[in-house]
Amino acid sequence: MSIRNDDVNWDGWPVEDYLTENYRQLHPCDAAVIAHHAAYYRTLPAGGLARTVEFGAGPNLYPLLLASAVSAGIDAVEAGAANVAYLRRQLATGPDDSWRPFHSLCRQLDPRIAASPPAALARVRVVHGDVRALPPGTYELASMHFVAEGASEAFDEFAAFCGHFVRCVVPGGHLVAAFMENLPTYRIGATSRWPGCPVDPERVTRVFAPLTEELDVTRIDADPTLPEYGDTGMVLLTGRTRSRPARGG
């Protein structure tokens, strides 16, 4: 049987192993994601969005740095206790030095980002909660990184998470996302096993097209500097929520 989201102990997410494997250095794939997203953020006014959300924030700080250019306030919503504790430490004592290259690249691509990582993250609020419980139409922009395809092995649950992601944004609001392409169930560290739902640009488009407008979906190749999780690259998305219901919807 497929592993579903509620089967998993997300409080036990191996934060340090995950950071060591993925974010203690700036990998080319993340530089590509940052460049892709920064190009979209540059089309939006500085600080022009009153309230935005990082949907399933995990311990990844670079999406928060990017969104800080356009957001007056950012909710980093995360269910896992270990990830929440890490985020709160980063905000309270200042980000780990390993995030400095990420901040430098983000600011190089969007100079509206504050000159130091702590200043850029000053508008972030950590929210310990289930993203599926976010009220509809709460935010002007939602950002999501490697969440829906890593929440469950079941495609219907992947699609449901994407639906929650879209619905938490106001009509005509903005969406920015990245997904691991063809991610199988995988390991972090020596033993921990986590669910994966294989998706590709076609499957992502199929889920988002009925819910969005101005949808743009692209991909990048797998990064050989990362651990071999079994994925084939990343799928990148920008778009807007529908300003009015789809015909017949």
Side-chain angles (χ1 to χ4, degrees), residues 85-105:
Y86 177 80
L87 290 171
R88 288 179 172 161
R89 286 197 305 273
Q90 297 298 290
L91 297 183
T93 64
D96 297 338
D97 286 344
S98 54
W99 292 111
R100 291 189 177 278
F102 293 85
H103 170 263
S104 179
L105 178 60

Side-chain angles (χ1 to χ4, degrees), residues 188-241:
I188 296 174
T191 59
S192 67
R193 180 173 179 264
W194 303 92
C197 178
V199 299
D200 56 18
E202 188 278 330
R203 292 191 114 188
V204 170
T205 300
R206 190 196 321 163
V207 169
F208 279 90
L211 307 174
T212 61
E213 52 197 37
E214 301 179 24
L215 180 65
D216 182 78
V217 177
T218 187
R219 68 172 300 281
I220 58 176
D221 288 334
D223 186 339
T225 71
L226 288 175
E228 293 186 5
Y229 294 125
D231 61 280
T232 57
M234 295 180 181
V235 180
L236 310 180
L237 175 151
T238 60
R240 302 190 72 164
T241 59

Side-chain angles (χ1 to χ4, degrees), residues 6-81:
D6 291 340
D7 299 328
V8 179
N9 175 22
W10 295 109
D11 288 341
W13 180 257
V15 174
E16 290 304 321
D17 285 339
Y18 180 69
L19 292 171
T20 297
E21 292 181 10
N22 291 277
Y23 296 117
R24 291 309 186 194
Q25 66 183 84
L26 175 57
H27 293 276
C29 61
D30 290 307
V33 174
I34 289 169
H36 174 270
H37 290 358
Y40 187 80
Y41 282 117
R42 289 195 302 268
T43 70
L44 306 177
L49 304 180
R51 195 175 181 198
T52 71
V53 64
E54 185 62 26
F55 187 96
N60 184 0
L61 298 190
Y62 79 69
L64 303 172
L65 295 169
L66 283 167
S68 71
V70 300
S71 308
I74 305 168
D75 285 351
V77 181
E78 169 60 36

